[in-house]
Structure formats: structure tokens, C-alpha cells
Amino acid sequence: MQHLLSSNLERLLQYGVAFFWTITYMMIIYKGFRDRTCGMPLAALCANITWEFLFSFVLPFSPLQQIITMIWFLLDCIILLQLFYYSKRQYPIWPIKSVVLSLLAIALLLHYGITTEFHDIEGKYSAFGINLMMSILFIRMLLTNDLLGQSTYIGYFKMIGTLGASILCYSQYPQSILLAIMYILIFILDVAYILLMNNKSVKIIYRSNTYKQL
């Protein structure tokens, strides 16, 4: 494996990714309880939690990353419980338990298949694929659910954490065109999400102030 950065700098980036993504999960949980909703898109949540399960308990690839991934898995379990608890409001006509179990099974099989097919013991291809899907679905959630479960801070911490992961992965796999495409697309989408969040927030504040003046 080729390394463009020193091992110390790569370790620092790994800590940074762990910190910023952990804060992202915690803020999603906090905003979910505050708004009585699930703050992570359903498909992204199922893909995320199965990736963390696979690389925490089935195919761990390094002791430090295993600890980090297990923490993320536990936080995602809380988000999954939020989904079940608030599902009647968010998905009123769906048989939500059957849908979630089906998506979890599909996601786990796909992660395992990608890991085996690409000999990707670190799960990097599926991880960035999930991240790209999450960025797209966060924007969709914002456009359809307004600000419920969403915040600008979630967008910033996700963007910074993913940018750190992108730099770390590029240092280790600079030859991968597919990964490079995903780094760029995720960053663009995360910036777009933050801009849309700010625009939505301004509009809601304006509408609220206008209503108070009437």
C-alpha cells in the first residue's frame, strides 16, 4: 500500500474522522429527539449500521478502527430506535419493521459482496458509497421534510469528518479513480446541503418574524 502522508499524520486524520463523525451522530440523535423524528434517511441508516456491524464484529481490520466502528454502531442503534419510535409520524403507511429488516439484509449482503469482490478488507468502497448516498438523501430529506431532524452543524461536522476520511484514503490509495470521484461528489453535495440549510433557516426565520408582526 502506497502512503503519501506520514503514519503520524494519517493517525491524526483517523482521530479527526472518529471525532467529527461521532459528533455528527450525536447531533443527529439530539436533533431527532428534539424534533421527534429520525434525522437520518432510512436507506442510509440501514446501509450505515450494517457496514458498522460487519466491520465491528465479522471482519474487523484494525483494533483502533474496530473500537471507533463499534461506537458508531451503538450510536446508529439509537438512531434506529428513534426510527421505530417515530415511524408512525414519518412513515405512516409503511410496514416499517418489515421494510427495515429487508433493507438491513440487502445492505449486509451487498457490503459483504463488495468486500469480497474488490478484496476490500477495509470496506472503503462501500463506506464512501454509503457516504455519497447519505449526502444525496440528506438533501432530499431537507427538501421534503423542511428542517425536521436537520441542522447546519450536522452538515458541517459530516463534511469535515468526510473530508478527513477522503484525505486519509487518498494518501493510501491515490491510484483509485472511483474513490477520487466519490470524494469530490460527496464534498460538493455536503457544501450544497449546508447552503440549502442556511437558505431554509433564513426563510423560516423570516416567515416566523412576519407571522409575529401580523
Side-chain angles (χ1 to χ4, degrees):
M1 182 190 300
Q2 181 181 0
H3 292 263
L4 300 181
L5 301 175
S6 67
S7 58
N8 289 335
L9 189 53
E10 286 189 355
R11 181 58 59 90
L12 183 63
L13 283 169
Q14 190 175 15
Y15 287 137
V17 172
F19 172 77
F20 283 107
W21 262 101
T22 301
I23 296 299
T24 301
Y25 286 134
M26 293 174 67
M27 296 192 72
I28 290 172
I29 292 169
Y30 168 75
K31 197 68 166 60
F33 282 126
R34 183 176 177 181
D35 294 350
R36 300 181 63 80
T37 189
C38 176
M40 188 178 291
L42 174 58
L45 174 59
C46 291
N48 221 28
I49 199 169
T50 48
W51 187 94
E52 290 154 356
F53 173 81
L54 183 65
F55 291 101
S56 292
F57 305 107
V58 183
L59 300 172
F61 54 88
S62 79
L64 175 60
Q65 186 59 50
Q66 184 179 20
I67 294 171
I68 295 169
T69 307
M70 288 178 69
I71 293 171
W72 292 346
F73 174 76
L74 293 174
L75 292 172
D76 262 334
C77 285
I78 298 174
I79 299 173
L80 184 61
L81 291 175
Q82 287 181 320
L83 172 69
F84 286 130
Y85 188 74
Y86 298 122
S87 60
K88 290 184 179 179
R89 173 182 175 181
Q90 197 161 1
Y91 306 100
I93 62 173
W94 288 19
I96 192 64
K97 291 182 180 179
S98 299
V99 171
V100 169
L101 289 175
S102 299
L103 288 175
L104 289 173
I106 291 169
L108 186 60
L109 289 171
L110 287 174
H111 292 327
Y112 184 78
I114 292 171
T115 301
T116 304
E117 184 77 15
F118 288 92
H119 306 288
D120 183 20
I121 61 171
E122 297 177 352
K124 57 188 176 296
Y125 288 101
S126 52
F128 280 98
I130 295 168
N131 208 316
L132 178 59
M133 176 177 65
M134 193 180 298
S135 295
I136 294 169
L137 293 179
F138 265 129
I139 292 175
R140 181 183 179 277
M141 179 180 282
L142 177 60
L143 295 176
T144 56
N145 295 349
D146 220 2
L147 298 181
L148 283 176
Q150 308 295 297
S151 80
T152 306
Y153 294 108
I154 292 172
Y156 277 119
F157 280 105
K158 178 189 178 303
M159 181 182 70
I160 296 170
T162 305
L163 183 60
S166 299
I167 295 171
L168 175 61
C169 201
Y170 180 75
S171 170
Q172 298 171 345
Y173 304 96
Q175 75 282 357
S176 176
I177 297 174
L178 177 57
L179 288 172
I181 291 172
M182 288 195 282
Y183 307 150
I184 296 168
L185 289 177
I186 293 168
F187 181 75
I188 291 172
L189 289 167
D190 286 348
V191 171
Y193 174 81
I194 292 169
L195 293 175
L196 285 169
M197 272 297 308
N198 287 327
N199 188 45
K200 283 267 188 180
S201 299
V202 168
K203 287 182 178 179
I204 287 176
I205 293 170
Y206 175 77
R207 288 202 302 265
S208 177
N209 290 336
T210 302
Y211 177 76
K212 290 177 181 179
Q213 293 172 3
L214 294 178

